[in-house]
Amino acid sequence: MTELQIPLAPEVFWPMVFATTLLIVVALAYSQMSEHAPKTPWLTKLQDSLGLEKIERGLFAASLLLYLFIFLSLFFGLATLIWQTIAWSLESLVQTKKDGELGLSQHFLFYVLRIAGLTTVLAAVVAFPVTLHRLRLTSNQNKTAEDALFNEKVNAAMGMLYARRQADDGELWEDDIVKRMAGIERLKRLASEQGSFALEALDILSSYIRQISVEKPAKDPPIFEGSEPPSEWYDSLKVWAQKLPLGRTDILIGLKTIVEIQASVSDVEKDKMIDLTHCNFQQLDLEGISFAGLDLSFASFQGGFLNDFSFSNAKLDLARFEGTKLYKVDFTSSEPNIGLKFEGATLENCNFSHSIFRAPSLHGTRIHTCDLKGSAFSDAEVDQNTVIHSSDSTGSAWFPLPEFENFNHIAERYPIFARRHHDKDIKLHKNTKFDNHTPDKGIGGAWRAWQRSIKFNPNNPDKP
């Protein structure tokens, strides 16, 4: 019979076999305790109590098996050593002492030292989970204290938002604007300090601006009594907007803070629209602000300094801009905006491309060098004072075709898509398309198909 000889000493071979067996057991335990396996209540509870809930369950189970092996090895090793010490001591008491041998006291001391060392290691192993548990409790206590302190800071900041002071005459009370601005700044710092507070800070600030707008509502524009206002009336509307009282500084600071905090939150959290409906932003300097992700329905912007900022992907249903000049403002949106009020407004270098506007009020509106490519204006309200000049309207849609004299310039120069043709005197571009179907027959699909037929990219107006 052939024997296989392994060139390894027994003291090397058997530890290797044992270590390999242990690794196989740990690997099998890890594979069976993956995240997809059913949860074991006692194991999950133990993992949570040790503060290791962030560790993958399979890895924790494998580590637990390794820990139990080390503990049992030390425990039984210590028990065996104690038994050997007692047995040797009893045996040595009855044996005759020989020359050259260690004395009983020396042998006994050697065994005691081994027991002490093994006991120390075992104690450290036993104390390890206890230490983890104590650290978890300490961490929870510190977290509770930190949360309590943070809540105190939030309450103090919210209290500053409603600060009031005595007026100069000493009899009346008025809003303490400076202290309220400090409260807004403190909320911004708290949102930066603790990211989970960002959405709550946005809700607090938006609620504050809405409440101030209830207390200090926007001024309503004058209404023309008659059939169609003359051009002079729109000039007076501009004067009215310019003479509006200056907007509150705390509202402006709050609005800028909302935009800054919103830019720091995750993409998932950005899907939530910030509610700033019915707010009063009259006579505010909004230069450089991005309103993306804000619900500004019914908001009032008359008389403001609206220069070089963005409403891109903001909700602007029935927002009001009467008598106001807007320069380099981005109105692009993936969702339709309904009923924007632009009476008497001047729009210059603004971007409306690839967006849909339903029932916008363009009475007396002057649109200069704006980007209207790929946009759609449905049921736009216009009059003879409406002016669209030098504004690229390639691929745009008008339902119905506007009936004002200045539109002749647009219809003659750019290919557009229209629902009906009311004015036979308008000169039309050769690529202009009329759709005579009823509105429920998929006008949007016909418009997009026509855009592609003229080599206009509906998804990117700047590329063919």
Short mmCIF file of all heavy atoms in Angstrom, two decimals, residues 18-54:
data_model
loop_
_atom_site.label_atom_id
_atom_site.label_comp_id
_atom_site.label_asym_id
_atom_site.label_seq_id
_atom_site.Cartn_x
_atom_site.Cartn_y
_atom_site.Cartn_z
N PHE A 18 -6.47 23.11 10.82
CA PHE A 18 -7.48 23.75 11.66
C PHE A 18 -7.86 25.13 11.13
O PHE A 18 -9.05 25.48 11.05
CB PHE A 18 -6.94 23.86 13.10
CG PHE A 18 -7.87 24.58 14.02
CD1 PHE A 18 -9.00 23.94 14.52
CD2 PHE A 18 -7.64 25.89 14.36
CE1 PHE A 18 -9.86 24.61 15.36
CE2 PHE A 18 -8.50 26.56 15.20
CZ PHE A 18 -9.62 25.91 15.70
N ALA A 19 -6.85 25.93 10.73
CA ALA A 19 -7.12 27.28 10.22
C ALA A 19 -7.93 27.22 8.93
O ALA A 19 -8.86 28.02 8.72
CB ALA A 19 -5.81 28.02 9.99
N THR A 20 -7.59 26.25 8.05
CA THR A 20 -8.34 26.11 6.80
C THR A 20 -9.79 25.73 7.07
O THR A 20 -10.72 26.27 6.46
CB THR A 20 -7.69 25.05 5.91
OG1 THR A 20 -6.32 25.41 5.68
CG2 THR A 20 -8.41 24.94 4.58
N THR A 21 -10.00 24.81 8.00
CA THR A 21 -11.37 24.41 8.36
C THR A 21 -12.16 25.59 8.92
O THR A 21 -13.33 25.80 8.58
CB THR A 21 -11.33 23.27 9.38
OG1 THR A 21 -10.56 22.19 8.86
CG2 THR A 21 -12.73 22.79 9.72
N LEU A 22 -11.50 26.39 9.76
CA LEU A 22 -12.16 27.55 10.34
C LEU A 22 -12.56 28.56 9.26
O LEU A 22 -13.66 29.11 9.28
CB LEU A 22 -11.24 28.21 11.36
CG LEU A 22 -11.79 29.47 12.05
CD1 LEU A 22 -13.04 29.13 12.85
CD2 LEU A 22 -10.73 30.09 12.96
N LEU A 23 -11.66 28.79 8.30
CA LEU A 23 -11.98 29.73 7.22
C LEU A 23 -13.15 29.24 6.39
O LEU A 23 -14.01 30.04 5.97
CB LEU A 23 -10.75 29.93 6.33
CG LEU A 23 -9.60 30.75 6.93
CD1 LEU A 23 -8.41 30.75 5.99
CD2 LEU A 23 -10.06 32.17 7.21
N ILE A 24 -13.22 27.92 6.15
CA ILE A 24 -14.33 27.37 5.38
C ILE A 24 -15.64 27.56 6.13
O ILE A 24 -16.67 27.95 5.55
CB ILE A 24 -14.08 25.88 5.08
CG1 ILE A 24 -12.89 25.73 4.11
CG2 ILE A 24 -15.32 25.24 4.48
CD1 ILE A 24 -12.47 24.30 3.87
N VAL A 25 -15.63 27.31 7.45
CA VAL A 25 -16.84 27.49 8.25
C VAL A 25 -17.28 28.94 8.25
O VAL A 25 -18.47 29.26 8.10
CB VAL A 25 -16.59 26.99 9.69
CG1 VAL A 25 -17.77 27.35 10.59
CG2 VAL A 25 -16.35 25.49 9.70
N VAL A 26 -16.33 29.86 8.40
CA VAL A 26 -16.67 31.30 8.40
C VAL A 26 -17.23 31.72 7.04
O VAL A 26 -18.21 32.46 6.97
CB VAL A 26 -15.42 32.13 8.77
CG1 VAL A 26 -15.68 33.61 8.52
CG2 VAL A 26 -15.04 31.90 10.21
N ALA A 27 -16.62 31.22 5.95
CA ALA A 27 -17.10 31.57 4.62
C ALA A 27 -18.51 31.05 4.38
O ALA A 27 -19.36 31.74 3.82
CB ALA A 27 -16.14 31.01 3.56
N LEU A 28 -18.78 29.81 4.83
CA LEU A 28 -20.13 29.27 4.68
C LEU A 28 -21.14 30.08 5.49
O LEU A 28 -22.25 30.36 5.02
CB LEU A 28 -20.15 27.80 5.12
CG LEU A 28 -19.43 26.81 4.19
CD1 LEU A 28 -19.40 25.42 4.82
CD2 LEU A 28 -20.12 26.77 2.83
N ALA A 29 -20.75 30.48 6.70
CA ALA A 29 -21.66 31.29 7.53
C ALA A 29 -21.93 32.64 6.88
O ALA A 29 -23.06 33.13 6.86
CB ALA A 29 -21.05 31.49 8.92
N TYR A 30 -20.88 33.22 6.30
CA TYR A 30 -21.05 34.52 5.65
C TYR A 30 -21.98 34.42 4.44
O TYR A 30 -22.84 35.28 4.21
CB TYR A 30 -19.68 35.04 5.21
CG TYR A 30 -19.74 36.37 4.51
CD1 TYR A 30 -19.84 37.55 5.23
CD2 TYR A 30 -19.69 36.46 3.12
CE1 TYR A 30 -19.88 38.77 4.61
CE2 TYR A 30 -19.74 37.67 2.48
CZ TYR A 30 -19.83 38.82 3.23
OH TYR A 30 -19.89 40.03 2.61
N SER A 31 -21.81 33.35 3.66
CA SER A 31 -22.66 33.20 2.47
C SER A 31 -24.11 32.94 2.84
O SER A 31 -25.03 33.34 2.13
CB SER A 31 -22.13 32.05 1.60
OG SER A 31 -22.23 30.81 2.31
N GLN A 32 -24.36 32.29 3.96
CA GLN A 32 -25.72 31.99 4.37
C GLN A 32 -26.39 33.16 5.07
O GLN A 32 -27.60 33.18 5.23
CB GLN A 32 -25.73 30.75 5.30
CG GLN A 32 -25.31 29.47 4.62
CD GLN A 32 -26.23 29.12 3.47
OE1 GLN A 32 -27.46 29.23 3.57
NE2 GLN A 32 -25.64 28.71 2.34
N MET A 33 -25.59 34.15 5.52
CA MET A 33 -26.14 35.28 6.27
C MET A 33 -26.01 36.56 5.48
O MET A 33 -25.74 37.61 6.03
CB MET A 33 -25.40 35.42 7.61
CG MET A 33 -25.62 34.26 8.56
SD MET A 33 -27.33 34.10 9.06
CE MET A 33 -27.56 35.62 9.95
N SER A 34 -26.20 36.49 4.18
CA SER A 34 -26.11 37.69 3.34
C SER A 34 -27.32 38.59 3.60
O SER A 34 -28.25 38.22 4.30
CB SER A 34 -26.05 37.30 1.86
OG SER A 34 -27.26 36.69 1.48
N GLU A 35 -27.30 39.77 3.01
CA GLU A 35 -28.38 40.73 3.20
C GLU A 35 -29.71 40.22 2.69
O GLU A 35 -30.77 40.65 3.11
CB GLU A 35 -28.04 42.05 2.51
CG GLU A 35 -26.91 42.81 3.19
CD GLU A 35 -27.28 43.27 4.59
OE1 GLU A 35 -28.46 43.58 4.83
OE2 GLU A 35 -26.40 43.29 5.45
N HIS A 36 -29.67 39.30 1.72
CA HIS A 36 -30.91 38.79 1.13
C HIS A 36 -31.50 37.63 1.92
O HIS A 36 -32.62 37.22 1.66
CB HIS A 36 -30.64 38.34 -0.32
CG HIS A 36 -30.12 39.44 -1.19
ND1 HIS A 36 -30.91 40.50 -1.59
CD2 HIS A 36 -28.89 39.67 -1.71
CE1 HIS A 36 -30.19 41.32 -2.34
NE2 HIS A 36 -28.95 40.83 -2.41
N ALA A 37 -30.72 37.09 2.87
CA ALA A 37 -31.24 35.98 3.67
C ALA A 37 -32.23 36.51 4.70
O ALA A 37 -32.18 37.67 5.09
CB ALA A 37 -30.09 35.27 4.37
N PRO A 38 -33.17 35.69 5.15
CA PRO A 38 -34.13 36.13 6.18
C PRO A 38 -33.40 36.56 7.44
O PRO A 38 -32.43 35.93 7.87
CB PRO A 38 -34.98 34.88 6.42
CG PRO A 38 -34.81 34.04 5.20
CD PRO A 38 -33.42 34.30 4.71
N LYS A 39 -33.87 37.62 8.04
CA LYS A 39 -33.22 38.15 9.24
C LYS A 39 -33.49 37.24 10.45
O LYS A 39 -34.60 36.74 10.62
CB LYS A 39 -33.72 39.56 9.54
CG LYS A 39 -33.21 40.59 8.54
CD LYS A 39 -33.56 41.98 8.99
CE LYS A 39 -32.96 43.01 8.04
NZ LYS A 39 -33.24 44.39 8.46
N THR A 40 -32.43 37.04 11.27
CA THR A 40 -32.56 36.30 12.52
C THR A 40 -32.76 37.32 13.63
O THR A 40 -31.85 38.13 13.89
CB THR A 40 -31.30 35.46 12.77
OG1 THR A 40 -31.05 34.66 11.62
CG2 THR A 40 -31.48 34.58 13.99
N PRO A 41 -33.90 37.31 14.34
CA PRO A 41 -34.20 38.38 15.31
C PRO A 41 -33.12 38.55 16.37
O PRO A 41 -32.68 39.67 16.64
CB PRO A 41 -35.53 37.93 15.90
CG PRO A 41 -36.15 37.06 14.85
CD PRO A 41 -34.99 36.36 14.19
N TRP A 42 -32.67 37.44 16.98
CA TRP A 42 -31.69 37.58 18.06
C TRP A 42 -30.35 38.10 17.55
O TRP A 42 -29.68 38.89 18.23
CB TRP A 42 -31.49 36.24 18.78
CG TRP A 42 -30.85 35.16 17.93
CD1 TRP A 42 -31.48 34.24 17.17
CD2 TRP A 42 -29.44 34.97 17.75
NE1 TRP A 42 -30.57 33.45 16.52
CE2 TRP A 42 -29.30 33.87 16.86
CE3 TRP A 42 -28.30 35.58 18.23
CZ2 TRP A 42 -28.07 33.38 16.45
CZ3 TRP A 42 -27.06 35.10 17.83
CH2 TRP A 42 -26.95 34.01 16.95
N LEU A 43 -29.99 37.69 16.33
CA LEU A 43 -28.73 38.16 15.76
C LEU A 43 -28.80 39.65 15.42
O LEU A 43 -27.87 40.41 15.69
CB LEU A 43 -28.39 37.34 14.52
CG LEU A 43 -27.05 37.64 13.85
CD1 LEU A 43 -25.91 37.33 14.82
CD2 LEU A 43 -26.89 36.84 12.57
N THR A 44 -29.93 40.06 14.84
CA THR A 44 -30.11 41.49 14.51
C THR A 44 -30.12 42.34 15.77
O THR A 44 -29.54 43.43 15.82
CB THR A 44 -31.42 41.67 13.74
OG1 THR A 44 -31.40 40.86 12.57
CG2 THR A 44 -31.61 43.13 13.34
N LYS A 45 -30.78 41.83 16.81
CA LYS A 45 -30.85 42.56 18.07
C LYS A 45 -29.46 42.70 18.70
O LYS A 45 -29.09 43.75 19.22
CB LYS A 45 -31.80 41.85 19.03
CG LYS A 45 -32.06 42.61 20.32
CD LYS A 45 -33.09 41.90 21.17
CE LYS A 45 -33.35 42.68 22.46
NZ LYS A 45 -34.36 42.00 23.31
N LEU A 46 -28.69 41.59 18.66
CA LEU A 46 -27.33 41.62 19.20
C LEU A 46 -26.47 42.61 18.42
O LEU A 46 -25.70 43.39 19.00
CB LEU A 46 -26.73 40.22 19.14
CG LEU A 46 -25.26 40.09 19.57
CD1 LEU A 46 -25.10 40.49 21.04
CD2 LEU A 46 -24.75 38.67 19.34
N GLN A 47 -26.59 42.60 17.10
CA GLN A 47 -25.82 43.50 16.27
C GLN A 47 -26.16 44.96 16.57
O GLN A 47 -25.26 45.81 16.66
CB GLN A 47 -26.07 43.19 14.79
CG GLN A 47 -25.21 43.97 13.82
CD GLN A 47 -25.45 43.54 12.38
OE1 GLN A 47 -26.22 42.62 12.11
NE2 GLN A 47 -24.78 44.20 11.44
N ASP A 48 -27.44 45.26 16.75
CA ASP A 48 -27.85 46.63 17.07
C ASP A 48 -27.37 47.05 18.44
O ASP A 48 -26.95 48.20 18.65
CB ASP A 48 -29.37 46.75 16.99
CG ASP A 48 -29.89 46.57 15.57
OD1 ASP A 48 -29.08 46.70 14.63
OD2 ASP A 48 -31.10 46.31 15.40
N SER A 49 -27.43 46.14 19.42
CA SER A 49 -27.03 46.48 20.79
C SER A 49 -25.55 46.78 20.89
O SER A 49 -25.12 47.53 21.77
CB SER A 49 -27.40 45.34 21.74
OG SER A 49 -26.63 44.18 21.45
N LEU A 50 -24.76 46.22 19.99
CA LEU A 50 -23.32 46.47 19.99
C LEU A 50 -22.94 47.69 19.15
O LEU A 50 -21.77 48.03 19.04
CB LEU A 50 -22.57 45.24 19.47
CG LEU A 50 -22.69 43.97 20.32
CD1 LEU A 50 -21.98 42.80 19.64
CD2 LEU A 50 -22.11 44.19 21.71
N GLY A 51 -23.93 48.31 18.52
CA GLY A 51 -23.66 49.48 17.70
C GLY A 51 -23.02 49.15 16.37
O GLY A 51 -22.31 49.98 15.78
N LEU A 52 -23.25 47.93 15.87
CA LEU A 52 -22.63 47.47 14.63
C LEU A 52 -23.68 47.28 13.53
O LEU A 52 -23.49 46.45 12.64
CB LEU A 52 -21.88 46.15 14.88
CG LEU A 52 -20.80 46.20 15.98
CD1 LEU A 52 -20.23 44.82 16.21
CD2 LEU A 52 -19.70 47.18 15.60
N GLU A 53 -24.79 48.03 13.60
CA GLU A 53 -25.87 47.83 12.64
C GLU A 53 -25.48 48.21 11.21
O GLU A 53 -26.12 47.78 10.25
CB GLU A 53 -27.11 48.63 13.05
CG GLU A 53 -26.93 50.13 13.10
CD GLU A 53 -26.31 50.61 14.39
OE1 GLU A 53 -26.10 49.78 15.28
OE2 GLU A 53 -26.03 51.81 14.51
N LYS A 54 -24.43 49.00 11.05
CA LYS A 54 -24.00 49.39 9.71
C LYS A 54 -23.15 48.33 9.03
O LYS A 54 -22.88 48.42 7.82
CB LYS A 54 -23.24 50.71 9.77
CG LYS A 54 -24.10 51.89 10.19
CD LYS A 54 -23.31 53.19 10.14
CE LYS A 54 -24.19 54.37 10.53
NZ LYS A 54 -23.44 55.66 10.50
#
